[in-house]
């Protein structure tokens, strides 16, 4: 009996989402939101008893707050009729996801997401939205076009989403106990020691700050030890100097350049090709320049539509 | 061991996975039900966010930083996708003067 409870909670949440998508009146939306919230809260409580579950209540409160904001903003994003509001709610999703990443100790990635996603990518979306909105609002003042007001077949969309969520729930509730145990304090210290062993310059800087005069040993890895949870530099003469463990950014950047150098190059190639692609797509517009002028000055519309290659 | 690691040592993996699942499902529902081209692309970005949460949560579980490195790659691909997709959307918008995805249904045939 207990095994089907998570699926019932998923269905309740899906019904809430459907009510919010299909019902465009305020009471329907409010009811749908409450129903969805109830389903997700139920799922959240059920998941609390899984392995790898709640140990630290204070951290979990922050996680709960950020998750609530993320899900609420995501739902608002797909329910909002005005696309600009959708984009703004997506910024809220990104910010709360970044809060979660901070809780997960992924500091570098969290701030990169804020800067690149919320800062750059979303601005591009806003530009395009404003561009399109401005042009269409000139004809129907302040009116939301029907393709933003009426969703396309919300029932089957929510059914597909609910089936997907059911698969995720099944995997989470039955698969988590098969996972290897989480990396403990020892694994973290091992990772810190391995990284410091690969960074002779940083170690040397710290040793110089501690007024260590000798030379670094041939194999730096063997000279770095862990005693009682602190990382120590110990050489053959019995010198013992504590080292600060490397931070999240050091770990991520080392993993990036040491484990994935080819992927890093490929990412550069992808960006370059995207830039070429965008330039090629944008260049085609130069041919329309006169027709655009005609539209801007309120001349005939059809002439403009026919000027693109292959346009009907 | 750093102080921060001691403080933030236990975020529930199950909750992170379920949150990622919900974000992905909401993005999927939005992608299938919205008709505005730009909002459809925004929904794919929402699904990227779900993938980011999963990557980082599992990376933290195993204390493996590859998850976070992959988030950087996701960021790259998302930026490239945004540039190209939005250029295409503008192109399509100029042809039909509408952002309605259903004005392009003849592409199905």
């Amino acid at each position: 009996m207990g095994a089907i409870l998570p699926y019932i909670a998923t269905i309740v949440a899906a019904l809430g989402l459907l009510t919010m998508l299909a019902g465009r009146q305020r009471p329907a939306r409010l009811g749908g939101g409450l129903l969805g919230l109830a389903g997700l809260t139920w799922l959240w409580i059920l998941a609390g008893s899984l392995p790898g579950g709640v140990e630290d209540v204070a951290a979990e409160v922050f996680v709960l707050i950020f998750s609530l904001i993320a899900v609420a903003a995501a739902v608002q994003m797909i329910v909002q009729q005005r696309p600009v509001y959708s984009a703004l709610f997506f910024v809220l999703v990104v910010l709360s996801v970044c809060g979660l990443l901070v809780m997960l100790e992924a500091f570098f990635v969290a701030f990169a997401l804020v800067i690149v996603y919320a800062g750059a990518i979303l601005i591009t979306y806003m530009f395009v939205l404003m561009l399109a909105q401005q042009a269409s609002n000139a004809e129907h003042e302040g009116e939301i076009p029907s393709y933003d007001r009426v969703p396309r077949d919300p029932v089957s969309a929510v059914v597909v989403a609910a089936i997907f969520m059911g698969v995720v729930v099944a995997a989470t509730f039955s698969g988590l106990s098969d996972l290897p145990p989480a990396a403990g304090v020892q694994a973290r210290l091992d990772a810190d020691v391995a990284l410091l062993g690969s960074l002779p310059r940083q170690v040397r800087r710290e040793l110089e700050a501690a007024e260590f005069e000798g030379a670094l040993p041939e194999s730096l890895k063997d000279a770095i030890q862990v005693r009682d949870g602190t990382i120590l530099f110990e050489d053959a003469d019995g010198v013992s100097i504590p080292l600060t463990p490397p931070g999240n950014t050091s770990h991520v950047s080392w993993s990036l350049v040491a484990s994935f150098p080819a992927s890093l190059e490929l990412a550069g190639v992808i960006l370059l090709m995207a830039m070429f692609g965008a330039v090629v797509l944008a260049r085609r517009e130069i041919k329309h320049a006169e027709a655009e002028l005609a539209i801007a000055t309120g001349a005939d519309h059809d002439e403009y539509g026919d000027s693109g290659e292959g346009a009907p | 061991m750093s102080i921060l690691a001691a403080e933030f040592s236990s975020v529930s993996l199950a909750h992170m996975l379920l949150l990622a699942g919900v974000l992905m499902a909401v993005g999927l529902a939005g992608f299938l039900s919205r008709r505005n081209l730009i909002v459809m692309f925004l929904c794919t970005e929402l699904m990227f966010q779900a993938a980011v949460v999963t990557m980082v949560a599992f990376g933290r579980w195993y204390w493996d930083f590859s998850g976070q490195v992959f988030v950087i790659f996701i960021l790259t691909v998302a930026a490239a996708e945004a540039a190209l997709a939005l250029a295409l959307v503008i192109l399509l918008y100029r042809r039909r003067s509408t952002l309605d995805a259903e004005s392009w249904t003849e592409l199905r045939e």
Side-chain angles (χ1 to χ4, degrees):
Chain A
M1 180 58 206
I4 62 163
L5 285 182
Y7 300 102
I8 298 176
T10 308
I11 292 170
V12 171
L15 285 178
L17 180 63
L18 180 62
T19 321
M20 287 191 81
L21 262 180
R24 288 285 163 175
Q25 274 78 41
R26 190 167 272 272
R29 282 205 191 174
L30 196 64
L34 288 178
L35 195 61
L37 186 66
L40 290 182
T41 314
W42 191 10
L43 203 55
W44 187 273
I45 293 168
L46 287 173
S49 59
L50 288 173
V54 185
E55 295 161 30
D56 183 349
V57 177
E60 202 63 23
V61 169
F62 279 104
V63 170
L64 181 59
I65 293 171
F66 284 131
S67 307
L68 271 181
I69 299 175
V71 172
V75 171
Q76 278 299 314
M77 178 190 140
I78 68 164
V79 167
Q80 279 297 327
Q81 299 185 0
R82 291 180 192 277
V84 176
Y85 289 174
S86 292
L88 289 178
F89 274 114
F90 182 64
V91 175
L92 194 54
V93 175
V94 174
L95 291 181
S96 44
V97 163
C98 288
L100 285 172
L101 297 191
V102 169
M103 299 308 295
L104 289 167
E105 299 166 66
F107 306 111
F108 175 78
V109 166
F111 289 103
L113 271 190
V114 170
I115 295 167
V116 178
Y117 242 107
I121 298 183
L122 256 293
I123 294 298
T124 322
Y125 274 92
M126 289 303 259
F127 267 132
V128 175
L129 275 174
M130 297 291 181
L131 207 67
Q133 294 262 298
Q134 193 191 20
S136 56
N137 276 0
E139 288 155 35
H140 326 275
E141 196 62 48
E143 192 183 303
I144 304 173
S146 72
Y147 57 84
D148 275 331
R149 261 183 291 124
V150 185
R152 172 181 53 197
D153 204 356
V155 177
S156 45
V158 171
V159 166
V160 170
I163 290 172
F164 175 82
M165 191 59 203
V167 174
V168 172
V169 165
T172 309
F173 278 80
S174 67
L176 267 190
S177 47
D178 299 338
L179 279 185
V185 177
Q186 189 55 44
R188 294 170 181 222
L189 285 172
D190 288 348
D192 285 348
V193 167
L195 180 58
L196 278 178
S198 319
L199 300 173
R201 276 198 197 169
Q202 185 176 334
V203 174
R204 164 148 293 281
R205 219 177 299 138
E206 285 208 32
L207 293 181
E208 276 168 5
E211 293 173 353
F212 171 77
E213 297 298 332
L216 281 189
E218 280 288 303
S219 145
L220 186 56
K221 281 196 172 98
D222 298 338
I224 297 175
Q225 308 286 337
V226 176
R227 294 268 153 76
D228 302 328
T230 42
I231 300 170
L232 297 172
F233 171 84
E234 291 185 335
D235 72 354
D237 308 331
V239 183
S240 171
I241 297 168
L243 299 172
T244 37
N248 171 259
T249 311
S250 307
H251 276 294
V252 174
S253 50
W254 180 256
S255 182
L256 183 65
V257 294
S259 313
F260 302 99
S263 312
L264 189 62
E265 299 292 327
L266 271 180
V269 172
I270 289 176
L271 281 177
L272 184 69
M273 296 322 285
M275 197 179 77
F276 283 160
V279 167
V280 167
L281 287 177
R283 252 178 73 86
R284 202 167 288 169
E285 289 311 302
I286 291 174
K287 290 177 194 160
H288 299 302
E290 275 183 38
E292 275 173 53
L293 274 178
I295 282 194
T297 52
D300 192 10
H301 271 231
D302 295 333
E303 195 186 320
Y304 169 60
D306 289 342
S307 60
E309 310 114 291
Chain B
M1 184 167 147
S2 73
I3 299 164
L4 281 175
E7 274 181 4
F8 290 122
S9 60
S10 49
V11 172
S12 158
L13 176 68
H15 286 168
M16 287 298 98
L17 293 183
L18 285 179
L19 172 81
V22 169
L23 285 185
M24 183 72 99
V26 170
L28 194 58
F31 185 80
L32 293 176
S33 72
R34 290 303 295 253
R35 294 159 62 195
N36 186 318
L37 282 172
I38 298 179
V39 179
M40 285 168 77
F41 277 116
L42 268 180
C43 289
T44 63
E45 305 280 340
L46 183 59
M47 294 195 261
F48 277 138
Q49 292 296 307
V52 164
V53 173
T54 318
M55 295 266 183
V56 175
F58 269 116
R60 192 184 157 287
W61 180 261
Y62 295 114
W63 205 247
D64 183 336
F65 290 88
S66 310
Q68 295 178 35
V69 171
F70 267 80
V71 173
I72 297 176
F73 292 136
I74 290 178
L75 213 61
T76 315
V77 173
E81 180 236 313
L84 284 181
L86 289 176
L88 276 174
V89 166
I90 293 234
L91 221 59
L92 295 177
Y93 178 77
R94 294 206 168 142
R95 290 269 166 90
R96 296 276 161 96
S97 294
T98 173
L99 288 173
D100 191 356
E102 291 185 359
S103 67
W104 293 96
T105 40
E106 75 261 30
L107 289 181
R108 269 195 308 227
E109 282 133 30

